[in-house]
Amino acid sequence: PGDPGLLTARALELIAAADVILYDRLIGAMALDGARPEAELLFVGKEGGGESVPQEETQALMIARAQEGNAVVRLKGGDPFVFGRGGEEALALRAAGISYEIVPGVTAGVAAAAYAGIPVTHRGLAGAVALVTGHPRADTPPDGEGEEAALDWPALAAFPGTLVLYMGVRRLSGIAASLIAAGRSASEPAAVVERGTLPDQRVVTGTLQTIAETAGREAIQAPSIIVVGAVAALAGQLSWLGEKVLGGRTVAVTRARAQASALSRRLEALGARVVQAPVIRVRALPGPPLDPAPYDLVCLSSPNGVAALFERLAAGGRDARALAGARVAAIGPGTARALAEHGIVADVVPERFVAEGLVEALADVPVSRALVARASQARDVLPDALRKRGAEVDVLALYETTVEPLSAPALAAARQADYITFTSSSTVRFFLQAVQGSPPEFSRATRIVSIGPVTSQTLRENGLEPHVEAERHDVGGLVDALIADATARG
Ligand code: SAH
């Protein structure tokens, strides 16, 4: 329903294996983090209040991709069979003779309530719960047989338990009035949970009589669920999502989708709303198997490089043991962590996480033949410095980074964000390519956060002045600098 931590283990498995993923508007970008880089990600939802991709088109696309032999994931918010049109899509698959699996999910009505401290059933207070659409038309089949089914207000009013209404926030006053008119008590507790389970979740509570006015005053919007019943009053006692240091702030993350998750997760845990604006795509470059035996030093500058290096080793039937004879140097703790995942503890990790830092850190390390494994477009600081010391240096380009086009809504959201983060010079360059033209117009309030001096320099060369520069040039340092700035500005 929002928090990617609520994806089921099965959902994560299938996302990681998918060739094609068709996803909806309410899917958080982080839910797609585990997708393979080559996977085709197709957005089939509504772009900002506009028309959604018609249901028949979505189904046709899903079927076509499956018939081409792809493993297709149709990713929906919450549970696919709860107001998710999952049943219709399964019928279409059955008719086309395509086999499928249904993965149940955590539905918003239950999850958003829980994140607001509302148990939808509670001994003594509610022995039943009804999941109700507050927008019956949205539930009508696409070929729209018959008229819009009206809600049976007397039956809902008489329902002996909690009512959880989906898709109803725009009609909240009508819904409350209809329930009262049909006999539900005006003093019955009610709550609305907006963007439930997400870092910027908001909750308003009251009674059936007051809830519409309160929600209106707070400008509560979709997606929200409405909870009517005695349990709604428990929100006051059981609410557990505290005030967070980045609560209410929006932060745009420009790094590649595959790398963004650690940063995004950290920001979200601090209460920020993260706008995913990945402008970089990382692609491993094809190449022959690698035999590192001749080298006494192997230098790696990014987790991408580590991943690609181990692929090249594996291509020749080798594993971490092939590096036993070499010293291994890593720029930055992320690179060192990626190495550690392969069983290699880096011998050298410089204090400053830039190539110059590694040059300094290697000053006393004897080197006769070095391998510098890195991206195809990288600075030559390290190889030049090693050569100057008389070492023989092979530079191996293991991967390349290319621009990933930004969707219009992602760009608009990034421009409106309170903060935009740049974690490398290439995020700056690719961002400017993705917005086609420089300098991009940010909202005047948007503060630009740079991971360090090299990135700041690239920003300035492109007419952008960083407002915040991290003191420690890694993701943790960037987050610390952002928190300090947000706190200072109150
Ligand atoms: N299949 C989804 C529901 C889709 S219908 C599920 O099982 O959760 C869309 C409605 O779901 C929205 O109008 C809203 O009422 C509800 N919804 C989805 N995400 C929500 C969220 N994060 N917080 C509150 N309500 C949400």
Side-chain angles (χ1 to χ4, degrees), residues 1 26 77-79 82-84 107-108 112 166-167 193 195-196 198 223-225:
L26 292 177
D79 185 283
V82 178
F83 306 127
T107 191
Y166 292 65
M167 298 172 279
V193 187
R195 295 182 58 82
L198 289 159
S224 293
I225 56 132

Side-chain angles (χ1 to χ4, degrees), residues 76-105:
K76 295 168 170 289
D79 185 283
F81 276 9
V82 178
F83 306 127
R85 307 186 81 161
E88 291 165 44
E89 293 178 15
L91 284 170
L93 290 172
R94 176 74 18 115
I98 290 163
S99 61
Y100 55 80
E101 167 179 349
I102 309 288
V103 182

Side-chain angles (χ1 to χ4, degrees), residues 359 381-393:
V359 171
V381 175
L382 179 62
D384 287 352
L386 289 170
R387 283 192 188 110
K388 216 182 268 166
R389 289 173 43 186
E392 197 181 325
V393 181

Side-chain angles (χ1 to χ4, degrees), residues 176-193:
S178 302
L179 285 172
I180 294 170
R184 200 109 180 172
S185 162
S187 61
E188 176 144 4
V192 181
V193 187

Side-chain angles (χ1 to χ4, degrees), residues 105-313:
V106 179
T107 191
V110 175
Y115 273 54
I118 302 172
V120 291
T121 71
H122 191 82
R123 202 157 53 90
L125 290 184
V129 54
L131 306 184
V132 183
T133 170
H135 186 59
R137 194 204 300 253
D139 216 24
T140 320
D143 45 345
E145 271 183 57
E147 291 294 290
E148 170 174 336
L151 287 174
D152 182 347
W153 294 113
L156 289 175
F159 181 74
T162 310
L163 301 177
V164 175
L165 291 119
Y166 292 65
M167 298 172 279
V169 73
R170 262 182 233 115
R171 307 170 173 204
L172 179 54
S173 59
I175 288 169
S178 302
L179 285 172
I180 294 170
R184 200 109 180 172
S185 162
S187 61
E188 176 144 4
V192 181
V193 187
E194 178 193 65
R195 295 182 58 82
T197 80
L198 289 159
D200 54 349
Q201 161 177 305
R202 293 197 297 162
V203 183
V204 294
T205 54
T207 63
L208 258 190
Q209 186 74 54
T210 64
I211 193 72
E213 201 207 312
T214 314
R217 199 179 330 115
E218 300 286 329
I220 296 288
Q221 286 170 0
S224 293
I225 56 132
I226 304 162
V227 184
V228 178
V231 290
L234 287 173
Q237 275 163 272
L238 296 181
S239 75
W240 53 274
L241 271 180
E243 285 274 302
K244 306 227 172 123
V245 55
L246 294 180
R249 318 250 180 183
T250 327
V251 182
V253 172
T254 53
R255 68 189 336 204
R257 203 181 282 287
Q259 288 183 305
S261 57
L263 175 56
S264 304
R265 229 157 258 151
R266 211 121 150 200
L267 291 167
E268 292 205 337
L270 294 163
R273 177 170 175 182
V274 173
V275 174
Q276 300 283 0
V279 292
I280 298 186
R281 186 170 269 261
V282 177
R283 197 176 72 89
L285 292 171
L290 173 70
D291 179 3
Y295 303 105
D296 55 358
L297 175 71
V298 175
C299 301
L300 290 141
S301 53
S302 78
N304 292 321
V306 174
L309 178 81
F310 276 89
E311 271 170 35
R312 292 273 181 102
L313 290 177

Side-chain angles (χ1 to χ4, degrees), residues 366-406:
V367 185
S368 60
R369 186 155 177 210
L371 176 71
V372 175
R374 59 176 211 188
S376 58
Q377 328 85 324
R379 299 185 307 142
D380 285 323
V381 175
L382 179 62
D384 287 352
L386 289 170
R387 283 192 188 110
K388 216 182 268 166
R389 289 173 43 186
E392 197 181 325
V393 181
D394 290 336
V395 173
L396 180 61
L398 285 172
Y399 63 96
E400 66 172 4
T401 48
T402 54
V403 66
E404 158 130 17
L406 270 188

